């Protein structure tokens, strides 16, 4: 039996995905460190953070670095300190931005980020979930529970926004969803009590919390809609300066950085992440959380599919099928 081939897309320069990514292959499959596992990827989940980080090029990257934060597949090898994970297990994961990522046939991942995938959940759907679903979970965890409080979710038509709507409804918030009109029917089906368009300048309501998925400038513009002692949760950016004067509404400002756990997360926080992630995957599998079916492209189309995410006319979620490249030659 011949050895498997390792295939990946690595970065060659700081540019757009189709210019920056270059295919490479070798007979050498990566080996795990003591606390790592090697995942044979079956699917890769594409996210906006993937093209954004390619264009920003972190200082930890060198030429040939493999991007990609989300993947799903099966365990093929475990490090000597790894417990409770065995070859053949179905796993989804969210990778550290500073390590070689999921744009490959095989990825080395620390044990602490692994999410076991329920047998009834297809890997092609599971891979679409870690980044947007866990971002939504982290965002909703930022605020204290206040049943029947009013919350506003901007950009609610996107993947993070859709999950936020559902998680907020499950916590008995009254949800107003801000999104393009084409998303309003779906958002109401997901539980939003009210839907409003992007051109809405005023609201008759004040909100206990605003979850903004746009940017810091947009989040700041929402401050007038937040009640006293309320919350602004900035998901795609961070508020560098308070949007209101001191001793005004006394708003609490929150930033969301899912990958920040790799820099500073404690064992307790990682255990909470894994438990919440596996519970949420089970909810999707049992249709207690609704996730859209992803658009699937082959591994050879990855750069073009990722570049399409930079446009307005893009699929809600794109997944890359890696299985052709993980078969033994």
């Amino acid at each position: 039996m011949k050895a498997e081939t390792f295939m990946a897309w690595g970065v060659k320069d700081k540019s757009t995905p189709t210019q920056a990514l270059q295919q490479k292959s070798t007979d050498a499959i990566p080996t795990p460190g003591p606390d790592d596992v090697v995942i044979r990827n079956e699917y890769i989940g594409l996210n906006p953070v993937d093209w954004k980080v390619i264009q920003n090029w972190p200082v930890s990257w060198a030429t040939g670095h493999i991007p990609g934060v989300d993947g799903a597949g099966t365990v093929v090898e475990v490090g000597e300190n790894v417990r409770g994970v065995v070859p053949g297990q179905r796993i989804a994961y969210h990778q550290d931005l500073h390590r070689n990522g999921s744009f490959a046939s095989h990825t080395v991942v620390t044990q602490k980020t692994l999410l076991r995938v329920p047998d009834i959940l297809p890997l092609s759907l599971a891979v679409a979930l870690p980044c947007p679903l866990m971002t939504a979970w982290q965002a909703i965890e930022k605020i204290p529970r206040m049943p029947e409080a009013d919350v506003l979710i901007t950009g609610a038509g996107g993947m993070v926004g859709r999950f936020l709507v559902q998680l907020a409804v499950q916590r008995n918030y009254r949800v107003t969803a801000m999104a393009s009109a084409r998303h309003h029917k779906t958002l109401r089906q997901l539980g939003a009590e009210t839907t409003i368009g992007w051109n809405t300048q005023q609201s008759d309501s004040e909100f206990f919390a605003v979850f903004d998925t746009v940017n810091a400038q947009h989040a700041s513009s929402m401050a007038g809609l937040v009640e006293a002692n309320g919350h602004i949760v900035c998901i795609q950016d961070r508020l560098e300066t308070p949007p209101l004067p001191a001793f005004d509404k006394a708003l609490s400002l929150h930033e969301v950085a899912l990958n920040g756990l790799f820099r500073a997360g404690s064992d307790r926080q990682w255990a909470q992440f894994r438990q919440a992630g596996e519970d949420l995957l089970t909810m999707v599998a049992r249709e207690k959380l609704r996730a859209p079916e992803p658009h699937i492209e082959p591994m050879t189309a990855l750069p073009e599919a990722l570049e399409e995410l930079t446009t307005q006319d893009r699929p809600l979620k794109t997944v890359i099928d890696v299985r052709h490249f993980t078969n033994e030659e």
Side-chain angles (χ1 to χ4, degrees):
M1 186 177 293
K2 294 183 180 180
E4 291 182 283
T5 298
F6 173 73
M7 182 271 179
W9 289 100
V11 289
K12 60 181 180 179
D13 53 33
K14 182 178 178 180
S15 186
T16 61
T18 53
Q19 295 295 317
L21 291 170
Q22 185 175 47
Q23 186 173 320
K24 57 183 181 179
S25 62
T26 176
D27 290 336
I29 303 300
T31 56
D35 301 309
D36 296 331
V37 302
V38 180
I39 305 296
R40 180 191 290 116
N41 294 315
E42 293 192 24
Y43 295 95
I44 299 164
L46 300 186
N47 296 283
V49 66
D50 294 322
W51 65 261
K52 292 177 182 178
V53 76
I54 288 173
Q55 292 185 348
N56 288 323
W57 195 286
V59 295
S60 60
W61 284 18
T63 300
H65 181 89
I66 302 167
V69 292
D70 282 354
T74 55
V75 176
V76 293
E77 188 176 358
V78 303
E80 60 186 30
N81 295 337
V82 173
R83 300 290 182 269
V85 179
V86 296
Q89 270 189 301
R90 302 167 77 244
I91 294 293
Y93 63 87
H94 182 75
Q95 176 67 312
D96 186 344
L97 283 168
H98 299 283
R99 299 188 72 175
N100 281 322
S102 62
F103 289 5
S105 58
H106 301 73
T107 305
V108 178
V109 185
T110 179
Q111 178 185 10
K112 59 189 177 184
T113 190
L114 301 179
L115 304 177
R116 293 171 297 179
V117 177
D119 291 340
I120 59 174
L121 183 64
L123 287 176
S124 58
L125 181 54
V127 78
L129 303 176
C131 188
L133 183 54
M134 298 311 293
T135 296
W137 167 78
Q138 190 179 75
I140 202 79
E141 286 285 308
K142 292 282 184 175
I143 65 172
R145 298 205 181 199
M146 188 72 68
E148 299 187 5
D150 291 294
V151 300
L152 171 66
I153 299 168
T154 74
M159 286 287 287
V160 174
R162 291 183 183 210
F163 287 130
L164 260 174
V165 167
Q166 295 176 81
L167 293 177
V169 169
Q170 290 178 2
R171 297 185 183 207
N172 294 318
Y173 293 115
R174 291 191 296 263
V175 176
T176 295
M178 177 183 286
S180 299
R182 68 182 184 274
H183 297 303
H184 287 186
K185 180 179 178 181
T186 297
L187 293 169
R188 288 193 294 270
Q189 291 172 341
L190 294 178
E193 202 166 289
T194 306
T195 53
I196 58 177
W198 285 106
N199 59 351
T200 303
Q201 300 299 316
Q202 300 292 331
S203 172
D204 293 333
S205 301
E206 280 195 321
F207 298 96
F208 172 64
V210 171
F211 298 91
D212 186 83
T213 70
V214 184
N215 55 39
Q217 182 179 2
H218 191 266
S220 182
S221 73
M222 297 289 102
L225 300 180
V226 183
E227 66 185 29
N229 297 308
H231 303 263
I232 297 179
V233 183
C234 201
I235 294 170
Q236 292 291 349
D237 206 344
R238 65 177 295 178
L239 291 168
E240 299 289 351
T241 57
L244 296 175
F247 310 112
D248 187 80
K249 287 187 176 181
L251 303 183
S252 295
L253 308 179
H254 308 271
E255 63 179 283
V256 175
L258 187 58
N259 221 256
L261 280 177
F262 289 103
R263 307 279 72 77
S266 66
D267 289 343
R268 174 189 59 79
Q269 289 174 309
W270 275 113
Q272 184 184 30
F273 171 91
R274 289 194 305 274
Q275 185 63 62
E278 291 178 356
D279 289 346
L280 291 167
L281 291 182
T282 299
M283 290 174 68
V284 173
R286 295 177 178 173
E287 299 184 347
K288 302 298 184 182
L289 274 175
R290 291 176 56 186
E293 286 295 324
H295 173 72
I296 299 179
E297 293 281 0
M299 184 68 156
T300 52
L302 190 153
E304 291 78 14
L306 184 58
E307 190 148 323
E308 189 176 12
L309 295 193
T310 70
T311 69
Q312 291 295 319
D313 186 24
R314 61 185 183 271
L316 186 61
K317 187 68 180 184
T318 298
V319 161
I320 301 298
D321 187 342
V322 197
R323 291 173 298 171
H324 169 73
F325 294 96
T326 59
N327 291 331
E328 292 187 339
E329 299 293 337

